[in-house]
Amino acid sequence: MAIENDLVRICSVGELPAEGAVHEFPAGKKMLCIAKLNGVISALDNECSHHGGPLGQGMIENGKVICPWHAYAFDLTTGLCDDDADERVRVFEVTVSGDDVLVKL
Ligand code: FES
């Protein structure tokens, strides 16, 4: 559901992944990988830039999301890949408004 302009509601606060985990959520026509680490919510493209693996089905290790297909690690803040400097996923701004988790697409 579009709240205003390009802000899209992803889920409620209670539906967020557990601390240190990731989960896939639809956002408009996209899927996003939503992560929670140290209480900070991050939103990244769910589609890995390497070969399209679903990042939201991966895990967090050493502060990075690990793609479940070939284990490339992506920074939750920058989207940069530790394993290949040519690989990067988009990172989206997250806002919490009341009980709604919103992402700016
Ligand atoms: S598809 Fe993600 S690391 Fe290969």
Side-chain angles (χ1 to χ4, degrees), residues 68-82:
W69 284 8
H70 311 104
Y72 280 18
F74 293 88
D75 188 281
L76 294 173
T77 304
T78 65
L80 291 170
C81 179
D82 281 357

Side-chain angles (χ1 to χ4, degrees), residues 34 36 48 53-54 57-59 64 69 75-76 95 97 102:
I34 304 295
K36 188 160 84 175
C48 177
Q57 294 178 28
M59 64 179 69
K64 313 285 171 83
W69 284 8
D75 188 281
L76 294 173
T95 307
S97 175
L102 310 169

Side-chain angles (χ1 to χ4, degrees), residues 1 3 6 11 22 34 53-54 63 65 68 73 75-76 86 91 98 102:
M1 174 177 66
I3 300 293
D6 45 5
C11 63
V22 294
I34 304 295
V65 59
D75 188 281
L76 294 173
D86 291 334
V91 176
L102 310 169

Side-chain angles (χ1 to χ4, degrees), residues 25-58:
F25 287 95
K29 294 178 181 171
K30 303 171 63 70
M31 287 294 281
L32 295 181
C33 167
I34 304 295
K36 188 160 84 175
L37 185 64
N38 300 322
V40 177
I41 307 160
S42 303
L44 301 87
D45 254 333
N46 193 53
E47 187 175 323
C48 177
S49 61
H50 181 225
H51 286 297
L55 293 180
Q57 294 178 28

Side-chain angles (χ1 to χ4, degrees), residues 1-4 6-15 25-28 95 97 99-105:
M1 174 177 66
I3 300 293
E4 67 175 52
D6 45 5
L7 277 182
V8 174
R9 183 185 183 278
I10 301 299
C11 63
S12 68
V13 170
E15 293 170 325
F25 287 95
T95 307
S97 175
D99 191 43
D100 295 324
V101 179
L102 310 169
V103 171
K104 186 174 183 182
L105 295 181

